[in-house]
mmCIF file of all heavy atoms in Angstrom:
data_model
loop_
_atom_site.group_PDB
_atom_site.id
_atom_site.type_symbol
_atom_site.label_atom_id
_atom_site.label_comp_id
_atom_site.label_asym_id
_atom_site.label_seq_id
_atom_site.Cartn_x
_atom_site.Cartn_y
_atom_site.Cartn_z
ATOM 1 N N PHE A 1 -2.567 1.152 2.815
ATOM 2 C CA PHE A 1 -3.251 1.432 4.079
ATOM 3 C C PHE A 1 -4.590 2.074 3.732
ATOM 4 O O PHE A 1 -4.725 3.297 3.640
ATOM 5 C CB PHE A 1 -2.394 2.362 4.938
ATOM 6 C CG PHE A 1 -2.897 2.553 6.335
ATOM 7 C CD1 PHE A 1 -2.810 1.540 7.272
ATOM 8 C CD2 PHE A 1 -3.468 3.759 6.722
ATOM 9 C CE1 PHE A 1 -3.272 1.723 8.569
ATOM 10 C CE2 PHE A 1 -3.927 3.951 8.005
ATOM 11 C CZ PHE A 1 -3.830 2.929 8.932
ATOM 12 N N TYR A 2 -5.595 1.232 3.486
ATOM 13 C CA TYR A 2 -6.869 1.682 2.918
ATOM 14 C C TYR A 2 -7.976 0.835 3.531
ATOM 15 O O TYR A 2 -8.090 -0.346 3.237
ATOM 16 C CB TYR A 2 -6.826 1.501 1.400
ATOM 17 C CG TYR A 2 -7.898 2.228 0.610
ATOM 18 C CD1 TYR A 2 -7.580 2.878 -0.572
ATOM 19 C CD2 TYR A 2 -9.230 2.242 1.008
ATOM 20 C CE1 TYR A 2 -8.546 3.527 -1.338
ATOM 21 C CE2 TYR A 2 -10.201 2.882 0.267
ATOM 22 C CZ TYR A 2 -9.843 3.530 -0.910
ATOM 23 O OH TYR A 2 -10.807 4.160 -1.651
ATOM 24 N N TYR A 3 -8.801 1.433 4.390
ATOM 25 C CA TYR A 3 -9.826 0.707 5.136
ATOM 26 C C TYR A 3 -11.158 1.451 5.099
ATOM 27 O O TYR A 3 -11.201 2.683 5.048
ATOM 28 C CB TYR A 3 -9.406 0.527 6.595
ATOM 29 C CG TYR A 3 -8.209 -0.366 6.783
ATOM 30 C CD1 TYR A 3 -6.914 0.146 6.707
ATOM 31 C CD2 TYR A 3 -8.366 -1.729 7.020
ATOM 32 C CE1 TYR A 3 -5.812 -0.670 6.863
ATOM 33 C CE2 TYR A 3 -7.266 -2.554 7.186
ATOM 34 C CZ TYR A 3 -5.999 -2.019 7.104
ATOM 35 O OH TYR A 3 -4.913 -2.840 7.256
ATOM 36 N N LYS A 4 -12.222 0.690 5.150
ATOM 37 C CA LYS A 4 -13.576 1.244 5.274
ATOM 38 C C LYS A 4 -14.106 0.902 6.655
ATOM 39 O O LYS A 4 -14.027 -0.255 7.081
ATOM 40 C CB LYS A 4 -14.493 0.653 4.200
ATOM 41 C CG LYS A 4 -15.922 1.208 4.218
ATOM 42 C CD LYS A 4 -16.753 0.563 3.128
ATOM 43 C CE LYS A 4 -18.177 1.108 3.105
ATOM 44 N NZ LYS A 4 -18.218 2.532 2.729
ATOM 45 N N LYS A 5 -14.636 1.899 7.357
ATOM 46 C CA LYS A 5 -15.177 1.666 8.708
ATOM 47 C C LYS A 5 -16.534 0.964 8.596
ATOM 48 O O LYS A 5 -17.443 1.451 7.924
ATOM 49 C CB LYS A 5 -15.318 2.985 9.458
ATOM 50 C CG LYS A 5 -15.756 2.824 10.906
ATOM 51 C CD LYS A 5 -14.653 2.206 11.720
ATOM 52 C CE LYS A 5 -14.903 2.019 13.179
ATOM 53 N NZ LYS A 5 -15.942 2.617 13.884
ATOM 54 N N ARG A 6 -16.629 -0.183 9.247
ATOM 55 C CA ARG A 6 -17.874 -0.943 9.316
ATOM 56 C C ARG A 6 -18.331 -1.009 10.773
ATOM 57 O O ARG A 6 -17.525 -0.798 11.688
ATOM 58 C CB ARG A 6 -17.647 -2.368 8.803
ATOM 59 C CG ARG A 6 -17.056 -2.470 7.411
ATOM 60 C CD ARG A 6 -18.098 -2.313 6.349
ATOM 61 N NE ARG A 6 -17.624 -2.829 5.066
ATOM 62 C CZ ARG A 6 -18.307 -2.757 3.950
ATOM 63 N NH1 ARG A 6 -19.513 -2.202 3.946
ATOM 64 N NH2 ARG A 6 -17.819 -3.245 2.814
ATOM 65 N N PRO A 7 -19.601 -1.335 11.018
ATOM 66 C CA PRO A 7 -20.048 -1.482 12.404
ATOM 67 C C PRO A 7 -19.230 -2.511 13.190
ATOM 68 O O PRO A 7 -19.026 -2.349 14.396
ATOM 69 C CB PRO A 7 -21.509 -1.939 12.254
ATOM 70 C CG PRO A 7 -21.933 -1.363 10.948
ATOM 71 C CD PRO A 7 -20.727 -1.429 10.065
ATOM 72 N N ALA A 8 -18.756 -3.537 12.504
ATOM 73 C CA ALA A 8 -17.991 -4.586 13.192
ATOM 74 C C ALA A 8 -16.487 -4.305 13.220
ATOM 75 O O ALA A 8 -15.730 -5.077 13.807
ATOM 76 C CB ALA A 8 -18.236 -5.937 12.516
ATOM 77 N N GLY A 9 -16.045 -3.217 12.590
ATOM 78 C CA GLY A 9 -14.619 -2.919 12.556
ATOM 79 C C GLY A 9 -14.210 -2.394 11.192
ATOM 80 O O GLY A 9 -15.036 -1.917 10.413
ATOM 81 N N PHE A 10 -12.925 -2.480 10.896
ATOM 82 C CA PHE A 10 -12.394 -1.952 9.650
ATOM 83 C C PHE A 10 -12.324 -3.039 8.589
ATOM 84 O O PHE A 10 -11.841 -4.146 8.843
ATOM 85 C CB PHE A 10 -11.000 -1.364 9.874
ATOM 86 C CG PHE A 10 -10.993 -0.123 10.717
ATOM 87 C CD1 PHE A 10 -10.582 -0.174 12.035
ATOM 88 C CD2 PHE A 10 -11.410 1.093 10.190
ATOM 89 C CE1 PHE A 10 -10.585 0.959 12.828
ATOM 90 C CE2 PHE A 10 -11.412 2.235 10.962
ATOM 91 C CZ PHE A 10 -10.998 2.174 12.287
ATOM 92 N N ASP A 11 -12.793 -2.705 7.390
ATOM 93 C CA ASP A 11 -12.780 -3.619 6.255
ATOM 94 C C ASP A 11 -11.703 -3.147 5.293
ATOM 95 O O ASP A 11 -11.709 -2.002 4.840
ATOM 96 C CB ASP A 11 -14.149 -3.609 5.579
ATOM 97 C CG ASP A 11 -14.334 -4.757 4.614
ATOM 98 O OD1 ASP A 11 -13.413 -5.585 4.493
ATOM 99 O OD2 ASP A 11 -15.399 -4.827 3.974
ATOM 100 N N LYS A 12 -10.784 -4.026 4.947
ATOM 101 C CA LYS A 12 -9.623 -3.660 4.144
ATOM 102 C C LYS A 12 -9.921 -3.713 2.651
ATOM 103 O O LYS A 12 -10.533 -4.665 2.172
ATOM 104 C CB LYS A 12 -8.475 -4.619 4.477
ATOM 105 C CG LYS A 12 -7.168 -4.339 3.756
ATOM 106 C CD LYS A 12 -6.111 -5.306 4.261
ATOM 107 C CE LYS A 12 -4.771 -5.046 3.611
ATOM 108 N NZ LYS A 12 -3.714 -5.924 4.163
ATOM 109 N N LEU A 13 -9.476 -2.673 1.928
ATOM 110 C CA LEU A 13 -9.531 -2.728 0.474
ATOM 111 C C LEU A 13 -8.309 -3.506 -0.015
ATOM 112 O O LEU A 13 -7.167 -3.137 0.280
ATOM 113 C CB LEU A 13 -9.538 -1.327 -0.127
ATOM 114 C CG LEU A 13 -9.749 -1.266 -1.641
ATOM 115 C CD1 LEU A 13 -11.130 -1.801 -2.025
ATOM 116 C CD2 LEU A 13 -9.589 0.159 -2.165
ATOM 117 N N ILE A 14 -8.548 -4.580 -0.731
ATOM 118 C CA ILE A 14 -7.471 -5.463 -1.165
ATOM 119 C C ILE A 14 -6.615 -4.756 -2.211
ATOM 120 O O ILE A 14 -7.129 -4.141 -3.151
ATOM 121 C CB ILE A 14 -8.050 -6.774 -1.722
ATOM 122 C CG1 ILE A 14 -8.719 -7.557 -0.589
ATOM 123 C CG2 ILE A 14 -6.969 -7.618 -2.390
ATOM 124 C CD1 ILE A 14 -9.522 -8.737 -1.046
ATOM 125 N N SER A 15 -5.313 -4.847 -2.051
ATOM 126 C CA SER A 15 -4.368 -4.225 -2.982
ATOM 127 C C SER A 15 -3.932 -5.248 -4.024
ATOM 128 O O SER A 15 -3.499 -6.346 -3.683
ATOM 129 C CB SER A 15 -3.134 -3.722 -2.227
ATOM 130 O OG SER A 15 -3.491 -2.783 -1.246
ATOM 131 N N CYS A 16 -4.022 -4.854 -5.289
ATOM 132 C CA CYS A 16 -3.539 -5.750 -6.344
ATOM 133 C C CYS A 16 -2.695 -5.000 -7.364
ATOM 134 O O CYS A 16 -2.526 -5.445 -8.501
ATOM 135 C CB CYS A 16 -4.715 -6.454 -7.011
ATOM 136 S SG CYS A 16 -5.978 -5.356 -7.670
ATOM 137 N N GLY A 17 -2.154 -3.852 -6.968
ATOM 138 C CA GLY A 17 -1.287 -3.080 -7.844
ATOM 139 C C GLY A 17 0.170 -3.498 -7.739
ATOM 140 O O GLY A 17 0.487 -4.609 -7.303
ATOM 141 N N ARG A 18 1.062 -2.590 -8.115
ATOM 142 C CA ARG A 18 2.495 -2.901 -8.154
ATOM 143 C C ARG A 18 3.304 -1.731 -7.589
ATOM 144 O O ARG A 18 2.803 -0.632 -7.406
ATOM 145 C CB ARG A 18 2.961 -3.136 -9.591
ATOM 146 C CG ARG A 18 2.154 -4.119 -10.409
ATOM 147 C CD ARG A 18 2.773 -4.311 -11.792
ATOM 148 N NE ARG A 18 2.859 -3.058 -12.532
ATOM 149 C CZ ARG A 18 3.440 -2.934 -13.735
ATOM 150 N NH1 ARG A 18 3.995 -3.981 -14.314
ATOM 151 N NH2 ARG A 18 3.474 -1.759 -14.359
ATOM 152 N N VAL A 19 4.602 -2.000 -7.378
ATOM 153 C CA VAL A 19 5.606 -0.955 -7.203
ATOM 154 C C VAL A 19 6.510 -0.997 -8.426
ATOM 155 O O VAL A 19 6.941 -2.082 -8.846
ATOM 156 C CB VAL A 19 6.434 -1.152 -5.924
ATOM 157 C CG1 VAL A 19 7.634 -0.208 -5.894
ATOM 158 C CG2 VAL A 19 5.570 -0.942 -4.691
ATOM 159 N N VAL A 20 6.799 0.163 -9.005
ATOM 160 C CA VAL A 20 7.685 0.255 -10.160
ATOM 161 C C VAL A 20 8.822 1.217 -9.824
ATOM 162 O O VAL A 20 8.580 2.394 -9.514
ATOM 163 C CB VAL A 20 6.933 0.744 -11.412
ATOM 164 C CG1 VAL A 20 7.903 0.929 -12.581
ATOM 165 C CG2 VAL A 20 5.824 -0.234 -11.787
ATOM 166 N N LEU A 21 10.066 0.717 -9.876
ATOM 167 C CA LEU A 21 11.252 1.550 -9.718
ATOM 168 C C LEU A 21 11.936 1.669 -11.073
ATOM 169 O O LEU A 21 12.244 0.653 -11.708
ATOM 170 C CB LEU A 21 12.241 0.934 -8.721
ATOM 171 C CG LEU A 21 11.748 0.556 -7.326
ATOM 172 C CD1 LEU A 21 12.913 0.030 -6.486
ATOM 173 C CD2 LEU A 21 11.082 1.730 -6.634
ATOM 174 N N GLU A 22 12.171 2.889 -11.509
ATOM 175 C CA GLU A 22 12.861 3.079 -12.777
ATOM 176 C C GLU A 22 14.380 3.006 -12.585
ATOM 177 O O GLU A 22 14.876 2.751 -11.484
ATOM 178 C CB GLU A 22 12.426 4.402 -13.401
ATOM 179 C CG GLU A 22 10.948 4.404 -13.799
ATOM 180 C CD GLU A 22 10.531 5.647 -14.559
ATOM 181 O OE1 GLU A 22 11.360 6.576 -14.716
ATOM 182 O OE2 GLU A 22 9.371 5.697 -15.022
ATOM 183 N N ASP A 23 15.130 3.209 -13.646
ATOM 184 C CA ASP A 23 16.585 3.039 -13.630
ATOM 185 C C ASP A 23 17.264 4.016 -12.665
ATOM 186 O O ASP A 23 16.812 5.144 -12.465
ATOM 187 C CB ASP A 23 17.166 3.270 -15.027
ATOM 188 C CG ASP A 23 16.677 2.268 -16.052
ATOM 189 O OD1 ASP A 23 16.053 1.262 -15.651
ATOM 190 O OD2 ASP A 23 16.918 2.494 -17.255
ATOM 191 N N HIS A 24 18.373 3.541 -12.076
ATOM 192 C CA HIS A 24 19.259 4.365 -11.246
ATOM 193 C C HIS A 24 18.578 4.907 -9.985
ATOM 194 O O HIS A 24 19.001 5.920 -9.424
ATOM 195 C CB HIS A 24 19.851 5.522 -12.060
ATOM 196 C CG HIS A 24 20.687 5.079 -13.217
ATOM 197 N ND1 HIS A 24 21.956 4.558 -13.063
ATOM 198 C CD2 HIS A 24 20.409 5.039 -14.550
ATOM 199 C CE1 HIS A 24 22.445 4.239 -14.262
ATOM 200 N NE2 HIS A 24 21.527 4.510 -15.180
ATOM 201 N N VAL A 25 17.556 4.233 -9.516
ATOM 202 C CA VAL A 25 16.958 4.572 -8.214
ATOM 203 C C VAL A 25 17.772 3.908 -7.115
ATOM 204 O O VAL A 25 18.278 2.801 -7.285
ATOM 205 C CB VAL A 25 15.486 4.094 -8.163
ATOM 206 C CG1 VAL A 25 14.935 4.105 -6.740
ATOM 207 C CG2 VAL A 25 14.622 4.957 -9.078
ATOM 208 N N GLU A 26 17.909 4.591 -5.975
ATOM 209 C CA GLU A 26 18.531 3.982 -4.794
ATOM 210 C C GLU A 26 17.620 4.186 -3.595
ATOM 211 O O GLU A 26 17.163 5.302 -3.330
ATOM 212 C CB GLU A 26 19.912 4.567 -4.514
ATOM 213 C CG GLU A 26 20.571 3.924 -3.299
ATOM 214 C CD GLU A 26 22.087 4.081 -3.261
ATOM 215 O OE1 GLU A 26 22.657 4.616 -4.225
ATOM 216 O OE2 GLU A 26 22.695 3.672 -2.253
ATOM 217 N N LEU A 27 17.357 3.095 -2.877
ATOM 218 C CA LEU A 27 16.542 3.118 -1.674
ATOM 219 C C LEU A 27 17.406 2.768 -0.482
ATOM 220 O O LEU A 27 18.103 1.750 -0.492
ATOM 221 C CB LEU A 27 15.380 2.122 -1.784
ATOM 222 C CG LEU A 27 14.465 2.245 -3.008
ATOM 223 C CD1 LEU A 27 13.355 1.194 -2.939
ATOM 224 C CD2 LEU A 27 13.870 3.638 -3.122
ATOM 225 N N GLY A 28 17.342 3.575 0.580
ATOM 226 C CA GLY A 28 18.114 3.302 1.787
ATOM 227 C C GLY A 28 17.558 2.127 2.564
ATOM 228 O O GLY A 28 16.603 1.454 2.147
ATOM 229 N N ALA A 29 18.133 1.897 3.734
ATOM 230 C CA ALA A 29 17.700 0.789 4.582
ATOM 231 C C ALA A 29 16.346 1.091 5.218
ATOM 232 O O ALA A 29 16.029 2.239 5.541
ATOM 233 C CB ALA A 29 18.740 0.533 5.672
ATOM 234 N N LEU A 30 15.545 0.043 5.364
ATOM 235 C CA LEU A 30 14.276 0.100 6.100
ATOM 236 C C LEU A 30 13.268 1.067 5.490
ATOM 237 O O LEU A 30 12.462 1.671 6.197
ATOM 238 C CB LEU A 30 14.528 0.457 7.572
ATOM 239 C CG LEU A 30 15.406 -0.526 8.350
ATOM 240 C CD1 LEU A 30 15.732 0.022 9.726
ATOM 241 C CD2 LEU A 30 14.752 -1.889 8.459
ATOM 242 N N CYS A 31 13.275 1.201 4.186
ATOM 243 C CA CYS A 31 12.226 1.948 3.502
ATOM 244 C C CYS A 31 11.032 1.029 3.248
ATOM 245 O O CYS A 31 11.191 -0.189 3.123
ATOM 246 C CB CYS A 31 12.720 2.512 2.175
ATOM 247 S SG CYS A 31 13.971 3.795 2.346
ATOM 248 N N THR A 32 9.842 1.612 3.159
ATOM 249 C CA THR A 32 8.641 0.836 2.853
ATOM 250 C C THR A 32 7.899 1.538 1.726
ATOM 251 O O THR A 32 7.463 2.686 1.881
ATOM 252 C CB THR A 32 7.725 0.693 4.086
ATOM 253 O OG1 THR A 32 7.485 1.988 4.665
ATOM 254 C CG2 THR A 32 8.385 -0.188 5.134
#
């Protein structure tokens, strides 16, 4: 969620990274 305010609206910074989960992680339902 990364935007730059422009006169015509918001310009999005494109994401090209990753998510890394290490061993024995648990994520519940509906996490983001």
Side-chain angles (χ1 to χ4, degrees):
F1 189 72
Y2 195 138
Y3 294 86
K4 182 180 181 66
K5 185 70 178 346
R6 305 278 198 184
F10 292 104
D11 194 2
K12 182 176 182 176
L13 186 64
I14 293 170
S15 301
C16 55
R18 309 183 301 175
V19 170
V20 176
L21 306 183
E22 294 186 355
D23 297 349
H24 299 286
V25 166
E26 181 159 355
L27 306 181
L30 299 173
C31 293
T32 51

